[in-house]
Amino acid sequence: RKTRTLVNQLGDSIINDPQYRLLKSIYMLKQECGYQENDHWIIPQKLTHQQVADITGVHRVTISNLFNKLQKESVLIKEKEQIVILDWQYILDHVL
């Protein structure tokens, strides 16, 4: 199972664009440790933009730009201690 997961992640990093990789990582984090609060999902993880860049294989500046874009589009809010997902359907539409 671990080998299959690794192969899928490598395929994602080669084939898919940076936004997809970021949204897929957020999707996976939400599935692992997210919880619902009112009509938003909270991912209680302290992650720097560099850590997210390392996870996704995307340059840190690109991750920062993507977070800014997604915040402007009211999809999510990246805070120091957590990520607040405002529009879960947007993420589902772009990941699944």
Side-chain angles (χ1 to χ4, degrees):
R1 185 173 7 165
K2 288 182 181 180
T3 302
R4 202 172 348 170
T5 301
L6 179 60
V7 169
N8 287 336
Q9 289 174 339
L10 287 172
D12 279 349
S13 67
I14 294 169
I15 297 170
N16 297 306
D17 68 2
Q19 179 171 311
Y20 173 85
R21 289 189 258 170
L22 174 60
L23 293 175
K24 179 78 175 218
S25 297
I26 291 170
Y27 173 86
M28 292 169 55
L29 283 169
K30 182 264 182 190
Q31 299 298 87
E32 281 287 315
C33 62
Y35 64 91
Q36 194 164 12
E37 188 173 280
N38 300 320
D39 58 344
H40 305 315
W41 283 93
I42 309 295
I43 300 171
Q45 296 290 321
K46 181 178 181 179
L47 292 169
T48 65
H49 288 199
Q50 184 61 56
Q51 289 170 319
V52 175
D54 293 342
I55 291 167
T56 59
V58 176
H59 193 275
R60 184 199 53 79
V61 172
T62 302
I63 291 297
S64 296
N65 291 338
L66 286 170
F67 273 127
N68 287 335
K69 175 184 177 263
L70 293 169
Q71 285 185 183
K72 286 179 186 174
E73 293 176 358
S74 299
V75 175
L76 58 79
I77 300 170
K78 168 70 172 82
E79 297 175 345
K80 188 173 184 175
E81 303 290 328
Q82 64 187 8
I83 298 171
V84 180
I85 302 171
L86 305 172
D87 188 351
W88 179 240
Q89 190 60 49
Y90 179 95
I91 293 173
L92 290 176
D93 290 345
H94 287 82
V95 171
L96 300 181

